[in-house]
Amino acid sequence: MNTGPQNDWFDKDFYKTLGVSKDASDAEIKKAYRKLARKYHPDANPGDEKAEEKFKEIGQAHQVLSDKESRAQYDQVRAMGGGARFSAGSGGPGGAGAGGFEDVFSDLFGGGGRTRTRTTYGGGGDVPPDLADLLGGFGGGGGYGGGFGGGYSPPVKGGDIKSTTTLSFTEAIDGASVKLNMPGGRPLTVRTPIGVKDGQKIRLAGKGKASPNGGEAGDVILTANVKPHPVFTRDGDNLRIDLPVSFDEATLGAEVKVPTLGGMPVKVKVAPGTPSGRTLRVRGKGVKTKKGTGDLLATVEIVAPKNLSDEAKAAVETFKAATEGEDPRAGLLDRAKAS
């Protein structure tokens, strides 16, 4: 019979390959394997034949030690063989080499006798049926993942789960705890980052679907929908606000109160002769992020009074007469024609 694949069980210390002790737990074996598989994966080491060979050895060790039954049989083979090499055919049929190998596996799998069920393995020959199943994957044949000659597949990451949540304007700025309903009805409570923008996607690592073969869990991709604010709008890390200013405040100058998001109002100076559309900047009153804090931008909007008393109307008439020579649209028509 062909003993090449089986010789690995005598020659190779799979525990040493993974860097774990012989009494390592399943979790320790899995953790060690995943770490080494990432390190020596062919995609991470293109063209490196030594890394590729190491990757195959790691995969072979993991396939044996990660399965409870194959690990127990491997431990028994190692204990009975003592790490010695057995070479079938060195003494011919029935010779010392073949007899030594068969004795070990006969005792292990078939009791003390030589009677075995005939099973064809590889190119032919008789081996115990359970041994054929167990070792079939170690030379490019079937069994445990299809072998290590190129058919081995490393652990795959689980799938992502998409979810949405709606935040108030203030919650998006300050961050908030939200509860999500995951598939299967399980709830998931997460804290959104500060300064989330409308439509922004938040990746929650490891909160998605489980891997089908022991890899990392997928992620949750959370889309944040932010409700508009009645007063403030967002411009990057700055907040904007339209600031109503009376005619006399804009003309004569004034100090006016400007609201801030979630805080006390601040006073800003309106310079004499300020026109509509001018933006006043209040530093440090915008959106706080890891990079810094934005500003509050107040755009002046001069408001004309709608209901004037007789006294106020007379005052405006007086102002009109006093400024009769001034034309705010001077040159506008000429500039329009020139263009």
Side-chain angles (χ1 to χ4, degrees):
M1 70 178 177
N2 180 10
T3 62
Q6 293 91 324
N7 276 337
D8 286 348
W9 284 40
F10 293 103
D11 297 341
K12 295 184 178 180
D13 187 341
F14 294 148
Y15 293 103
K16 185 177 180 180
T17 299
L18 295 182
V20 298
S21 63
K22 289 181 173 59
D23 58 353
S25 66
D26 292 343
E28 290 173 331
I29 290 173
K30 180 179 178 180
K31 181 179 180 180
Y33 164 69
R34 289 173 60 180
K35 180 179 179 180
L36 292 172
R38 284 194 295 267
K39 180 179 179 181
Y40 292 102
H41 194 282
D43 290 346
N45 303 274
D48 190 336
E49 294 182 1
K50 291 184 178 180
E52 183 177 356
E53 185 63 30
K54 183 70 174 176
F55 180 74
K56 292 179 181 180
E57 292 175 2
I58 294 165
Q60 181 184 17
H62 177 255
Q63 289 285 42
V64 174
L65 300 184
S66 63
D67 182 83
K68 185 176 296 184
E69 182 179 349
S70 65
R71 180 180 179 181
Q73 293 174 345
Y74 169 74
D75 289 342
Q76 293 179 57
V77 169
R78 291 281 295 178
M80 296 179 68
R85 292 177 178 269
F86 290 78
S87 177
S90 61
F101 182 83
E102 290 176 358
D103 286 343
V104 171
F105 281 92
S106 176
D107 292 342
L108 178 59
F109 296 106
R114 296 290 184 89
T115 304
R116 297 171 290 163
T117 303
R118 295 180 61 83
T119 303
T120 301
Y121 169 66
D126 302 334
V127 294
D130 47 1
L131 184 61
D133 292 339
L134 180 62
L135 300 179
F138 295 148
Y144 300 114
F148 297 92
Y152 171 72
S153 297
V156 245
K157 186 177 180 180
D160 293 340
I161 298 174
K162 294 183 179 180
S163 184
T164 60
T165 188
T166 300
L167 304 172
S168 71
F169 191 86
T170 303
E171 287 175 333
I173 299 298
D174 297 336
S177 293
V178 296
K179 182 177 288 187
L180 308 176
N181 292 321
M182 295 291 97
R186 64 183 179 93
L188 175 64
T189 300
V190 298
R191 180 78 183 177
T192 61
I194 60 174
V196 171
K197 299 177 182 179
D198 183 41
Q200 180 175 336
K201 296 185 185 301
I202 305 165
R203 182 177 294 273
L204 308 173
K207 302 297 184 181
K209 297 178 182 178
S211 167
N213 64 347
E216 297 179 3
D219 304 331
V220 169
I221 310 300
L222 178 62
T223 301
N225 298 320
V226 181
K227 295 179 180 178
H229 194 279
V231 171
F232 298 97
T233 57
R234 186 168 176 177
D235 182 3
D237 291 338
N238 297 324
L239 293 177
R240 287 189 174 275
I241 182 175
D242 291 331
L243 180 63
V245 173
S246 66
F247 171 75
D248 60 282
E249 289 173 333
T251 303
L252 303 177
E255 191 173 70
V256 299
K257 289 183 178 180
V258 179
T260 61
L261 184 65
M264 297 294 292
V266 294
K267 290 184 177 181
V268 297
K269 289 184 177 180
V270 178
T274 295
S276 275
R278 176 174 293 178
T279 299
L280 310 178
R281 184 182 295 270
V282 183
R283 298 194 178 277
K285 293 298 180 179
V287 181
K288 294 182 180 180
T289 66
K290 293 181 180 180
K291 298 180 180 179
T293 304
D295 301 330
L296 175 62
L297 307 177
T299 301
V300 171
E301 185 179 277
I302 298 176
V303 180
K306 295 181 179 179
N307 300 311
L308 294 176
S309 64
D310 292 340
E311 183 179 1
K313 187 174 182 179
V316 172
E317 293 289 351
T318 300
F319 174 80
K320 179 182 177 181
T323 57
E324 187 174 359
E326 295 186 15
D327 183 1
R329 293 172 295 281
L332 179 61
L333 296 178
D334 292 337
R335 292 198 301 273
K337 291 179 181 178
S339 61

